[in-house]
Amino acid sequence: MVPWVKSYIDAEKQKVVDKLQSGGKSKRESWRTELPREGLGTGVIEKMKEEKMNDVVWRGKCSGTVYIGGTESEGHFSVLNEACSMFSHTNPLHFDIFQSVARFEAEVVAMTASILGSKKKASGGEICGNMTSGGTESILLAVKSSRDYMKAKKGITRPEMIIPESAHSAYDKAAQYFNIKLWRVPVNEKFQANVKAIRRHINRNTILIVGSAPGFPHGIIDPIEELGELAFQYGICLHVDLCLGGFVLPFARQLGYPIPPFDFSVKGVTSISVDVHKYGLAPKGTSVVLYRNHDIRKHQFVAVTEWSGGLYVSPTIAGSRPGGLIAGAWAAMMSLGQEGFLKNAKAIMEASKKLEKGIKEIPELFIIGKPDMTIVAFGSNVLDIFEVNDIMSSKGWHLNALQRPNSLHICVTLQHVSVIEDFLQDLRESVQTVKENPGPISGGLAPIYGAAGRIPDRVMVQELLVNYMDSTC
């Protein structure tokens, strides 16, 4: 490339990065870069309270993000805070010392498995797993275990996996980390995993196919039974991402909602990821990865025999892990119980249906597919939906911007149950504003989102994202 052309392109990229940061860079200039000469002692708590005042208003205003109802100093929050504090010094790496935490983890895994089919005969009776730091780690471990299991079972040394384009980006991360060729195939007209397209990509190097219940973008459940049949037929692994649905779908089904099969009762499912820190209402940093049997899970572990520090074996990516978070997850599940989860599922499912109905009544908008759970995605054929997002942002709402098609979604939590009508009113007003005054607003991100979707050179978009992240963290 001609040097001046490259310089021009780099300069334009930096303009986009600066726009994405929206003033964040100037804030960083005042951030501390070294230890204070004298420690603040207990005064650090007051300093943290001051910093906390700079957080944006999140109660009832954010898509997903905070799944527990109320404020962070009352009710369920206070239970978690006390549980985490009580065990903040613990580390399950030393399970011989912190036996309470070892028990908490085992029981969180078992209780989670029990609502996802482990007690059913079809599961095989060997469901096992571990707690992780979040959905991404759970997916990473499931992919790594599937890769090594299939290498041992079939001798596959050039592994490939197939995912629908609606599958979480954690699979892309796993493909990069573990040197797996990734096939991302289009969804069908219902925005579900396209089983026929996935079948066409299966070959002798395929180790894994993927389904979500539901998918993050549109809240739609993939055809898990069909994917299970496919996996079983070809003798490959099937991972089901239940990070969002794991603590809602089992209870929504009990409430009478038409939920298709999604768990270990489905033949062919070999692993499942489920976040306890979402609708399980546990503290952030808690998830569970489950396997159909121990033969698969054994490939998750790392055992080291030649280290001068002694014999070493670790179940997850992290060695040391925060026992306080495990304790918090156990406290969350035990404090709620089945009745608590049923009550919560009823509230958020009803709120989601109310939200979906309200959006359908706005003529300029349409719902993406048929949402199965608590995520409602919507777009427009007559307005720039990202301009609508900018107006909603100016009203304090924080929604997720999606692509293919351009759309927005809101993930309904207990925080939203009492503000659905407020959201719909602001959405109606935002749509009307854009309809009457089309075009980007000052400081809005609509032009960037729109341009990013239209740029054919996806490597350039990737570089923009990397440059943005590099200047942000």
Side-chain angles (χ1 to χ4, degrees), residues 5-312:
V5 174
K6 183 179 185 301
S7 298
Y8 174 78
I9 292 175
D10 288 343
E12 291 301 304
K13 287 180 184 177
Q14 190 57 48
K15 288 181 183 178
V16 175
V17 170
D18 292 342
K19 180 73 172 177
L20 285 169
Q21 286 182 315
S22 300
K25 189 174 183 179
S26 60
K27 295 177 183 177
R28 287 180 60 89
E29 292 173 356
S30 64
W31 290 5
R32 182 174 295 279
T33 59
E34 59 184 8
L35 284 167
R37 183 172 296 278
E38 294 184 10
L40 302 181
T42 56
V44 72
I45 300 300
E46 290 303 316
K47 175 65 175 173
M48 293 176 77
K49 289 179 180 178
E50 292 175 13
E51 291 296 330
K52 192 165 181 267
M53 297 294 290
N54 295 323
D55 292 348
V56 300
V57 176
W58 53 264
R59 295 180 191 89
K61 288 287 190 176
C62 301
S63 173
T65 311
V66 179
Y67 292 76
I68 304 168
T71 66
E72 67 268 39
S73 59
E74 63 180 16
H76 189 76
F77 275 109
S78 62
V79 173
L80 300 191
N81 293 340
E82 186 169 352
C84 291
S85 175
M86 190 186 308
F87 291 89
S88 64
H89 63 289
T90 65
N91 180 356
L93 180 66
H94 306 289
F95 57 85
D96 56 329
I97 299 172
F98 303 115
Q99 297 176 34
S100 54
V101 172
R103 175 177 176 171
F104 292 156
E105 176 171 13
E107 292 189 355
V108 166
V109 170
M111 288 188 289
T112 302
S114 72
I115 64 172
L116 298 177
S118 70
K119 302 297 183 181
K120 298 176 182 177
K121 187 176 180 180
S123 73
E126 292 187 46
I127 306 303
C128 55
N130 293 92
M131 289 190 68
T132 73
S133 61
T136 293
E137 186 184 357
S138 290
I139 288 173
L140 288 174
L141 288 172
V143 172
K144 188 267 183 191
S145 301
S146 299
R147 182 198 67 175
D148 293 355
Y149 174 68
M150 293 303 291
K151 181 179 180 180
K153 181 181 177 182
K154 288 188 170 183
I156 296 175
T157 57
R158 300 176 66 183
E160 301 180 12
M161 65 177 173
I162 309 163
I163 68 174
E165 64 181 13
S166 56
H168 198 275
S169 54
Y171 296 102
D172 294 81
K173 188 178 287 189
Q176 292 185 36
Y177 284 2
F178 304 134
N179 195 27
I180 299 171
K181 185 174 182 178
L182 179 69
W183 295 98
R184 186 181 283 274
V185 302
V187 293
N188 62 23
E189 68 281 358
K190 296 179 180 179
F191 295 92
Q192 295 175 307
N194 189 325
V195 178
K196 290 182 179 179
I198 290 174
R199 180 191 293 272
R200 287 195 295 269
H201 281 81
I202 294 176
N203 59 42
R204 63 183 182 182
N205 290 320
T206 303
I207 60 164
L208 176 70
I209 60 175
V210 166
S212 304
F216 169 81
H218 312 120
I220 297 171
I221 298 175
D222 287 329
I224 303 302
E225 279 191 309
E226 293 180 50
L227 292 171
E229 291 174 7
L230 196 61
F232 187 79
Q233 177 185 347
Y234 284 92
I236 57 179
C237 295
L238 166 61
H239 180 75
V240 179
D241 181 0
L242 274 159
C243 287
L244 273 166
F247 284 93
V248 176
L249 295 180
F251 302 102
R253 176 182 285 168
Q254 290 185 45
L255 292 168
Y257 287 92
I259 306 297
F262 57 85
D263 58 19
F264 282 114
S265 64
V266 177
K267 187 177 182 179
V269 173
T270 53
S271 58
I272 285 175
S273 52
V274 51
D275 284 354
V276 198
H277 65 205
K278 288 190 173 76
Y279 291 107
L281 306 192
K284 291 300 181 184
T286 53
S287 179
V288 170
V289 59
L290 298 168
Y291 299 94
R292 184 170 287 275
N293 56 53
H294 292 269
D295 286 341
I296 304 173
R297 186 178 69 149
K298 286 178 181 177
H299 294 279
Q300 175 183 291
F301 305 153
V302 173
V304 181
T305 62
E306 305 307 309
W307 178 37
S308 60
L311 300 178
Y312 178 88

Side-chain angles (χ1 to χ4, degrees), residues 351-365:
S352 301
K353 296 306 177 185
K354 180 180 179 182
L355 176 68
E356 182 182 350
K357 181 177 181 294
I359 294 174
K360 284 180 177 178
E361 292 172 352
I362 302 175
E364 295 82 3
L365 303 180

